Amino acid sequence: MEKQTLGFQTEAKQLLHLMIHSLYSNKEIFLRELISNASDAADKLRFLALDNDALYENQPELKIRIEVDSANHTISISDTGIGMSKEEVTDNLGTIAKSGTASFLQSLTGDQKKDSQLIGQFGVGFYSGFIVAEKVQVLTRKAGLSPSEGVCWESTGEAEFTVEPIEKAERGTTIILHLKSSEREFEDLYRLRSIVKKYADHIAIPVEMLSSSTGQNSDTESEEESSKQQFETVNSAKALWIRPRSEVSDEEYSEFYRHISHDFEEPLEWSHNKVEGKLEYNSLLYIPKRPPFDLWNRDGARGLKLYVQRIFIMDQAEQFLPLYLRFVKGVIDSNDLSLNVSREILQQDPVVDSMKNALTKRVLDMLAKLKKKDKEKYQQFWDSFGSVLKEGPSEDLTNKEKIAGLLLFSTTHTDHEEQNQCLDDYISRMQEGQEEIYYIVAENFKTAKNSPHLESLRKNGLEAILLSDRIDDWLMSGLQEYSGKNLRDISKGKLDFDKFSSEEEKAKNQEEDEKAKPLLERLKASLNERIGEARVTHRLTESPACLALSEYDMGQQMRKIMEASGQKLPESKPIFEINMGHALVQKLDALADEDQFDEFAELLFDQACLAEGRQLDDPASFIRLMNKWLLN
Ligand code: ADP
Ligand code: MG
């Protein structure tokens, strides 16, 4: 085998370039990333060795060692982890297998500040070495292979890298960073030590560095002693989630979060628990500040890091949380599961189900607490993940009420697009005699806010929730009620505000209903094809007419989604509701000529469609008609 020169995959090249240029203000994170990888490699070895003890090669010690060679200006990070074969080196360090890389790169704006935040969400990993190094060498040998099957990977971080066979006695990986001349500050051991303390204290295996006293030879030391270098462990080297809460600082929680999530930011909130009794496990769950780039990818990263009795078992164990909590990151360490669990077993294990129920409750409680104690943070959570949480009520019937209490909305109370009102806020403002929670779903916020359906609610001082997220129709029909109160779509069925009206108004309404009967007959005959029914409404104050659905009809939004997904739906004709108090309706009523009546009826009907955010079947004919009547 000879030395081979290979080209980086295009995307790897782009990412590399971007990283080197956008992370200049936070260079030291390269050490965190490389230690994080070394720790993952140790986890993997320990897991594989459960079935195959020989992988330890009689050297069971798992550790990371950091050394500096100031003569050659290098830093090396060595681990006794799983190591890599030649194929693995080429695959893992030459291509980016992460799903969504292409779409991630597309989402970049070219604005360095914004992009450096984005890249944080993506996770920079191994390539971060190139932030400080002009050349990176990786010497590695996979556990279980012979010493002659070592590999040296080398690159200057430009277009190419080389791989070459080497002899490597010890298993594991050594990363050698040849520092750029501008980055020699990192040769300083004190500096390195403080970076390790800052970013890697939570790493569960020892990170060793040369002890600070070594090197300063005193005359009394024998030659043998002075040549023997003294290494000491600089981190806590203990699984963080096992430590008592009181002994872990906020900084440590944040760093640990970054290690497991590949996020640059601090977490928004976390919950660390030790559970004893029928089930025994430790859990550490985090809510991120911002959505990851792959939140809406079908195969995006989700799930928890699973350990069994401190031994790492798998990443992205999805079975411990429902899909609507897929934004939660964290670790779970169980004493009840067997060390050789697989994804398949997890799917059927009743222990996993009980844990899932408990963890779900844990997350919902954490959110409820956050909502109570810190409005601003909760708002941040909502803006990032609210639309995911909205999947909850339909997915998780047991916790429906709890989830509903966490939802935030826009309502006519604020009339503002920001979603910051909860159902309890709404209930606290309900009018005397009001039994239902009113809402409207529309294509977008403005259409909802200006919907004719809201006219009489506003007049009566009644509040309505304004909904326009894609999922809202689905959400509300799944919810149906909250706190014993019906959720009522005001565009469906008959609205009866009689109890909010005076006797005088009631009498007037009844009179209108009587008077309207012949007009309704004519309308029904004229718009026969397009409407299910025509009736008088008292919900309008300013508009001449509106469209309503019957109580059991599917909402417009849901209809569109279902149709877009290729489902055939039964035809549904809207109910045409007219406002007898409106001058245009009175004008319509007075038209004796049937052709004129038909045209005018069609105009009013099309208007009502538009106000609803619907599309007209024949927009050109609407405009022709309207222009004709404008000149009339
Ligand atoms: P990530 O850690 O998110 O997977 P990285 O860019 O940090 O991404 O690393 C890429 C891959 O390279 C890792 O998934 C791993 O397979 C491999 N790798 C990196 N460093 C090591 C190491 N010290 N030992 C073994 N494998 C490693
Ligand atoms: Mg990594």
Side-chain angles (χ1 to χ4, degrees):
M1 278 211 304
E2 292 270 303
K3 184 164 169 170
Q4 274 180 302
T5 302
L6 298 165
F8 279 117
Q9 198 197 35
T10 327
E11 284 157 3
K13 230 162 33 195
Q14 274 172 287
L15 200 59
L16 244 162
H17 179 84
L18 180 80
M19 191 160 41
I20 294 168
H21 292 93
S22 53
L23 294 177
Y24 54 87
S25 60
N26 202 7
K27 290 175 176 160
E28 59 192 32
I29 56 110
F30 76 90
L31 201 57
R32 159 177 93 204
E33 295 298 327
L34 298 181
I35 292 176
S36 175
N37 285 349
S39 154
D40 288 348
D43 270 348
K44 281 180 206 159
L45 175 63
R46 191 143 55 143
F47 173 64
L48 292 173
L50 289 173
D51 283 342
N52 181 6
D53 210 29
L55 290 178
Y56 280 126
E57 303 175 3
N58 296 321
Q59 306 248 329
E61 198 184 5
L62 293 171
K63 64 178 186 194
I64 300 166
R65 180 174 278 192
I66 301 174
E67 288 170 280
V68 170
D69 176 346
S70 6
N72 293 307
H73 307 296
T74 64
I75 301 176
S76 66
I77 297 106
S78 308
D79 65 64
T80 57
I82 184 73
M84 286 177 272
S85 68
K86 180 166 172 270
E87 284 69 37
E88 286 167 335
V89 176
T90 312
D91 285 355
N92 297 338
L93 308 183
T95 57
I96 303 179
K98 285 177 191 159
S99 67
T101 314
S103 61
F104 163 75
L105 286 167
Q106 266 161 19
S107 68
L108 296 176
T109 58
D111 174 338
Q112 283 208 346
K113 197 152 170 223
K114 278 193 204 134
D115 288 351
S116 66
Q117 279 173 350
L118 270 177
I119 199 163
Q121 287 168 283
F122 188 76
V124 289
F126 168 78
Y127 294 120
S128 63
F130 289 102
I131 302 172
V132 296
E134 58 190 15
K135 182 166 87 179
V136 177
Q137 284 177 303
V138 180
L139 314 179
T140 185
R141 180 180 54 85
K142 189 158 186 172
L145 297 183
S146 75
S148 63
E149 291 178 273
V151 198
C152 174
W153 178 102
E154 194 177 307
S155 176
T156 54
E158 280 147 9
E160 291 168 345
F161 63 91
T162 61
V163 272
E164 182 180 14
I166 53 163
E167 185 81 18
K168 191 171 183 300
E170 277 114 28
R171 69 156 191 274
T173 305
T174 296
I175 313 274
I176 303 175
L177 305 171
H178 297 258
L179 293 175
K180 297 177 185 169
S181 56
S182 55
E183 309 300 341
R184 296 212 175 127
E185 58 181 289
F186 292 108
E187 284 171 20
D188 181 50
L189 278 178
Y190 290 98
R191 175 81 200 275
L192 279 183
R193 196 184 298 262
S194 76
I195 302 176
V196 174
K197 276 303 255 187
K198 179 169 165 195
Y199 291 119
D201 200 49
H202 58 78
I203 294 290
I205 59 172
V207 179
E208 290 184 349
M209 289 181 70
L210 209 54
S211 84
S212 18
S213 58
T214 332
Q216 297 161 358
N217 300 350
S218 70
D219 300 337
T220 52
E221 259 178 328
S222 73
E223 227 166 73
E224 190 191 329
E225 253 176 298
S226 67
S227 68
K228 204 173 87 197
Q229 297 186 315
Q230 290 288 314
F231 282 90
E232 62 182 14
T233 301
V234 280
N235 64 334
S236 308
K238 199 171 166 196
L240 178 130
W241 61 91
I242 304 300
R243 290 161 55 190
R245 261 191 304 223
S246 57
E247 283 176 21
V248 185
S249 69
D250 287 0
E251 286 72 33
E252 286 177 292
Y253 277 122
S254 288
E255 263 324 310
F256 184 68
Y257 165 74
R258 292 190 172 113
H259 170 61
I260 58 165
S261 69
H262 303 279
D263 190 349
F264 254 39
E265 295 220 50
E266 292 178 359
L268 188 70
E269 191 71 9
W270 60 84
S271 168
H272 181 189
N273 296 94
K274 186 183 180 72
V275 176
E276 280 168 322
K278 240 169 96 190
L279 290 175
E280 282 190 19
Y281 61 87
N282 291 275
S283 65
L284 174 50
L285 306 172
Y286 291 94
I287 314 272
K289 268 194 183 151
R290 280 194 292 176
F293 71 98
D294 57 2
L295 183 66
W296 297 102
N297 278 7
R298 219 172 252 276
D299 51 359
R302 61 191 58 145
L304 304 175
K305 228 175 154 82
L306 173 65
Y307 288 75
V308 171
Q309 295 163 35
R310 324 286 167 271
I311 296 185
F312 169 76
I313 305 294
M314 66 178 82
D315 277 313
Q316 299 181 25
E318 296 171 9
Q319 295 78 0
F320 294 93
L321 284 173
L323 202 56
Y324 71 92
L325 296 179
R326 62 179 173 274
F327 50 83
V328 174
K329 304 279 182 201
V331 169
I332 163 121
D333 187 346
S334 159
N335 285 345
D336 305 301
L337 293 169
S338 126
L339 279 167
N340 49 28
V341 288
S342 62
R343 280 182 204 276
E344 291 68 45
I345 295 176
L346 283 181
Q347 259 153 24
Q348 304 153 4
D349 196 328
V351 169
V352 176
D353 275 340
S354 319
M355 284 170 75
K356 179 176 178 177
N357 291 339
L359 292 168
T360 302
K361 207 173 151 297
R362 188 74 74 193
V363 175
L364 295 178
D365 288 345
M366 164 162 53
L367 290 173
K369 225 161 103 190
L370 185 66
K371 177 167 174 281
K372 230 188 198 159
K373 94 179 171 201
D374 193 333
K375 264 205 145 51
E376 211 171 298
K377 260 193 183 179
Y378 189 75
Q379 189 67 49
Q380 198 178 356
F381 157 73
W382 182 260
D383 295 340
S384 293
F385 302 111
S387 40
V388 182
L389 193 68
K390 280 181 178 178
E391 296 168 11
S394 313
E395 190 186 336
D396 183 355
L397 297 182
T398 328
N399 292 304
K400 199 163 107 170
E401 189 83 358
K402 239 190 199 140
I403 303 165
L406 293 170
L407 304 174
L408 296 184
F409 302 102
S410 308
T411 85
T412 51
H413 177 69
T414 56
D415 252 350
H416 197 279
E417 192 160 5
E418 185 175 22
Q419 300 174 359
N420 59 7
Q421 301 293 311
C422 67
L423 289 170
D424 289 318
D425 295 335
Y426 181 104
I427 290 173
S428 72
R429 291 187 292 259
M430 277 169 77
Q431 300 278 314
E432 197 160 311
Q434 183 186 350
E435 275 147 23
E436 299 182 307
I437 297 173
Y438 300 115
Y439 70 89
I440 183 155
V441 187
E443 189 83 340
N444 54 51
F445 174 73
K446 267 203 181 133
T447 312
K449 180 181 157 185
N450 297 325
S451 165
H453 295 285
L454 292 170
E455 289 174 11
S456 66
L457 264 84
R458 289 187 191 273
K459 194 184 86 185
N460 286 300
L462 296 166
E463 184 174 351
I465 296 174
L466 304 172
L467 298 165
S468 54
D469 280 357
R470 243 178 87 87
I471 191 175
D472 282 340
D473 228 341
W474 172 252
L475 165 72
M476 293 316 250
S477 44
L479 261 185
Q480 295 203 358
E481 59 166 50
Y482 175 72
S483 197
K485 302 197 166 39
N486 234 6
L487 297 171
R488 177 69 195 280
D489 181 342
I490 55 165
S491 69
K492 286 186 189 172
K494 263 194 160 154
L495 271 193
D496 182 6
F497 293 144
D498 265 3
K499 60 178 157 247
F500 305 110
S501 317
S502 64
E503 288 305 317
E504 208 176 317
E505 271 177 308
K506 273 187 232 173
K508 199 183 110 216
N509 290 348
Q510 246 169 21
E511 196 184 316
E512 274 183 0
D513 289 354
E514 263 322 297
K515 236 176 50 196
K517 279 187 177 151
L519 175 59
L520 294 178
E521 289 294 315
R522 285 175 85 194
L523 274 174
K524 178 76 181 115
S526 170
L527 294 169
N528 180 32
E529 294 282 295
R530 301 172 71 184
I531 65 175
E533 190 193 330
R535 70 182 175 215
V536 174
T537 183
H538 306 293
R539 69 173 105 207
L540 301 176
T541 60
E542 285 154 39
S543 306
C546 69
L547 302 183
L549 294 174
S550 77
E551 210 144 336
Y552 304 104
D553 261 342
M554 186 181 289
Q556 269 303 102
Q557 192 191 38
M558 182 108 83
R559 218 185 155 79
K560 275 189 191 161
I561 293 173
M562 307 266 289
E563 275 169 356
S565 74
Q567 306 228 26
K568 227 174 149 40
L569 298 172
E571 193 191 8
S572 127
K573 290 186 187 171
I575 299 158
F576 189 42
E577 294 193 342
I578 53 168
N579 172 7
M580 289 303 286
H582 200 283
L584 284 175
V585 175
Q586 286 159 7
K587 178 169 179 173
L588 173 75
D589 200 14
L591 289 172
D593 181 291
E594 283 309 316
D595 289 338
Q596 287 201 334
F597 181 89
D598 286 348
E599 282 185 9
F600 207 75
E602 195 168 321
L603 258 183
L604 291 188
F605 178 78
D606 282 352
Q607 276 193 4
C609 286
L610 287 176
E612 209 70 18
R614 296 190 185 211
Q615 286 197 329
L616 298 182
D617 296 336
D618 184 357
S621 123
F622 167 73
I623 291 170
R624 213 176 308 120
L625 267 185
M626 186 175 66
N627 291 346
K628 179 173 163 195
W629 282 83
L630 280 173
L631 289 172
N632 243 351

